[in-house]
Amino acid sequence: MPAIVLVGAQWGDEGKGKATDLLGDQIDYCVRFNGGNNAGHTIVIEDEKYAVHLLPSGVLTPSVTPVIGNGVVIDLGVLFGEIDMLQQRGIDTSRLIVSANAHVIASYHRTIDKVGERFLGKAKIGTTGRGIGPAYSDKMSRVGVRVQDLFDEKILRQKVEGALLPKNQLLVKIYNRAAIDTSAVVTELLEYAERLQPMVQDTSLLLNNALDRGDTVLLEAGQATLLDVDHGTYPFVTSSNATAGGACTGSGIGPTRIERVIAVVKAYTTRVGAGPFPTELEDADGEKLRVIGAEFGTTTGRPRRCGWYDAVIARYAARVNGVTDFVLTKLDVLSDFDTIPVCVGYRLPDGSVIDEMPMTQTDFHHAHPVYEEFPGWREDISEAREFDDLPKNARKYIEALQDMSGAPFSVIGVGPARDQSLLLRPLTQ
Ligand code: GDP
Ligand code: IMO
Ligand code: MG
């Protein structure tokens, strides 16, 4: 099995961490290819719960080599904080490899993220405030600082100085903030250099060599399809490519290496931050999903907006990612509902009904969900381990979603623990 990509199908927090962990021993490398510590992936192993933001979820499996790819933006303070936290909990992180080409999030990126959001006022995106957008802006503007720059002080100073020149004008003259001192930033970044150096490699070369040997490489996304900067609900998105295409550019692996694209999809929908969300529930059902599903952000603790499953979005995710398998998560959260609506299309303001994502932002903002209703099962399913252990209505719900979503459902999640999963089709053969 060569490379496998794992992405989120909705607006994030679908349970990518758990899905990656399930692949566990079947993979040799686990590579994060986009985003940064805006992600929050939760993994439950027996009685222990881990939340990783920057490290690939595979760090928890001893036989897996975790890799932070070139497409990631790295806050070094967070990286070492996460490594220390895991080490204190007895997890060996010594195998971690970091791309020399990954970009670094500096303190000025965090500052600009926060003041920029404040200035947007009502139009704010609701970012995680971790400096993600400004770090990717610098990358695209070719004024970013990369991991490799930390090992050449002269270059580092030049780059930080160049990046700060226009930013300080902006901070002082527009945002009414103090200017940031180049030397202070350089000193802070250099403090990490010695500890970082042994982890740094040409990760494209490493991963391609591994694939040539026949190793299995999992490319794990942060965020999700509808947060992708090209294919998501722009501008209410993150600043990277969280779809399968990003797995190639964010790791240095060619598309011909990829055999499987797994999309993780929740049995309902959630979203954190601002932006359109057609099936959002602002009533008691929404609150019920939030409480039963424990829908509070892993990264910021914000309550997640909740709504019903949207089959238009699932099909869209299948299309833009080339999905071969879905992992359906959190089916257990729906056990307490008499009726479960599923969005099968959108009614637009002109009265027309469509069953694909609208072409324009304006239409998506005004799209009203058209629902088909399914009877609930009102029975605890968290102990189910085989498809046939599920109540008839739960099986019918899964089959209906699968028919609407555009790819087979290979795994069904019935709880946060590793073993609370129904494996319907192997993911790595
Ligand atoms: P990620 O960002 O996609 O990795 O997802 P998060 O970790 O942010 O959020 C998913 C949450 O759902 C975590 O708390 C998981 O432990 C939990 N989870 C994953 N799968 C299931 C499932 O099948 N059932 C339930 N009840 N919880 C699940
Ligand atoms: P995981 O990997 C859910 C959202 C933020 C905000 C928007 C832009 O755990 O699924 P950013 O800080 O990235 O510039 O914020 O994207 N967002 C996420 N929402 N899960 C995530 O990651 C997210 N990462 C970013 O809430 O709306
Ligand atoms: Mg998350």
Side-chain angles (χ1 to χ4, degrees):
M1 190 79 191
I4 305 169
V5 176
L6 187 139
V7 297
Q10 297 153 318
W11 277 284
D13 306 321
E14 296 90 352
K16 295 177 288 295
K18 181 187 160 183
T20 297
D21 180 60
L22 267 183
L23 290 169
D25 300 339
Q26 300 166 61
I27 58 174
D28 300 297
Y29 288 82
C30 178
V31 189
R32 258 295 291 280
F33 64 80
N34 76 302
N37 57 309
N38 46 349
H41 299 175
T42 315
I43 300 119
V44 180
I45 302 173
E46 284 154 16
D47 291 336
E48 293 286 321
K49 185 170 165 180
Y50 302 89
V52 290
H53 299 280
L54 195 49
L55 296 175
S57 305
V59 70
L60 298 173
T61 306
S63 57
V64 170
T65 301
V67 177
I68 297 182
N70 59 278
V72 174
V73 286
I74 306 179
D75 184 323
L76 293 162
V78 172
L79 175 71
F80 290 119
E82 211 157 270
I83 290 173
D84 291 343
M85 178 273 292
L86 288 179
Q87 281 179 350
Q88 275 160 22
R89 295 180 67 178
I91 304 290
D92 175 16
T93 57
S94 63
R95 303 174 314 282
L96 177 69
I97 297 169
V98 177
S99 166
N101 288 350
H103 280 247
V104 169
I105 300 178
S107 58
Y108 48 84
H109 294 126
R110 290 190 295 272
T111 305
I112 289 170
D113 193 354
K114 286 177 192 146
V115 287
E117 278 279 273
R118 216 165 297 148
F119 261 67
L120 279 174
K122 270 193 175 161
K124 75 173 183 185
I125 290 157
T127 72
T128 58
R130 304 297 196 257
I132 306 297
Y136 278 114
S137 299
D138 276 3
K139 173 176 173 173
M140 290 306 176
S141 304
R142 295 158 295 181
V143 292
V145 172
R146 292 189 294 174
V147 162
Q148 57 182 284
D149 299 328
L150 265 63
F151 311 121
D152 185 333
E153 187 175 343
K154 197 166 148 230
I155 290 279
L156 178 67
R157 189 169 293 277
Q158 266 175 24
K159 292 201 171 176
V160 172
E161 204 157 33
L164 277 178
L165 230 102
K167 287 187 185 63
N168 276 335
Q169 297 284 325
L170 188 74
L171 282 170
V172 174
K173 294 186 180 151
I174 311 282
Y175 292 145
N176 210 14
R177 290 288 184 122
I180 294 168
D181 176 40
T182 301
S183 292
V185 174
V186 170
T187 307
E188 190 195 330
L189 292 178
L190 284 176
E191 273 167 20
Y192 299 115
E194 199 184 336
R195 193 171 170 195
L196 187 63
Q197 191 146 35
M199 304 172 190
V200 177
Q201 287 194 34
D202 176 342
T203 48
S204 167
L205 182 63
L206 172 92
L207 294 170
N208 279 280
N209 285 342
L211 287 165
D212 288 344
R213 283 197 306 271
D215 285 353
T216 301
V217 174
L218 179 76
L219 303 155
E220 183 196 34
Q223 295 77 56
T225 303
L226 292 181
L227 290 173
D228 181 283
V229 69
D230 281 279
H231 301 291
T233 47
Y234 190 90
F236 301 100
V237 293
T238 192
S239 297
S240 66
N241 284 116
T243 47
C248 292
T249 51
S251 67
I253 284 177
T256 47
R257 298 282 202 174
I258 295 166
E259 284 226 334
R260 212 82 178 249
V261 179
I262 301 166
V264 187
V265 69
K266 229 180 258 199
Y268 50 99
T269 312
T270 63
R271 168 162 211 175
V272 198
F277 177 0
T279 63
E280 181 170 18
L281 296 165
E282 289 176 277
D283 58 5
D285 280 343
E287 187 55 26
K288 198 165 152 183
L289 286 172
R290 183 154 42 247
V291 171
I292 301 176
E295 295 295 354
F296 296 88
T298 313
T299 299
T300 57
R302 289 179 288 179
R304 294 174 182 151
R305 300 159 63 193
C306 297
W308 301 121
Y309 189 88
D310 188 332
V312 181
I313 282 175
R315 248 189 344 269
Y316 177 71
R319 165 156 61 90
V320 299
N321 292 292
V323 171
T324 59
D325 304 78
F326 276 109
V327 171
L328 181 74
T329 61
K330 301 192 106 165
L331 185 68
D332 52 301
V333 175
L334 297 179
S335 295
D336 210 24
F337 290 90
D338 289 327
T339 305
I340 307 168
V342 171
C343 173
V344 296
Y346 303 131
R347 190 178 306 282
L348 300 182
D350 66 2
S352 61
V353 174
I354 54 169
D355 64 1
E356 290 288 352
M357 280 288 277
M359 187 179 78
T360 66
Q361 180 189 353
T362 308
D363 274 349
F364 194 60
H365 275 261
H366 296 110
H368 281 282
V370 176
Y371 285 120
E372 195 175 320
E373 297 202 330
F374 292 85
W377 45 92
R378 286 225 162 251
E379 198 180 307
D380 180 12
I381 57 168
S382 61
E383 301 296 323
R385 294 296 174 268
E386 307 275 342
F387 190 69
D388 290 339
D389 295 342
L390 293 170
K392 190 163 128 236
N393 284 350
R395 296 199 306 263
K396 281 190 165 167
Y397 182 72
I398 294 170
E399 280 162 355
L401 294 196
Q402 178 170 260
D403 285 348
M404 293 174 196
S405 303
F409 284 12
S410 300
V411 179
I412 313 290
V414 293
R418 246 182 201 174
D419 66 336
Q420 291 181 301
S421 314
L422 321 185
L423 307 174
L424 310 185
R425 201 168 91 109
L427 290 172
T428 54
Q429 282 161 30

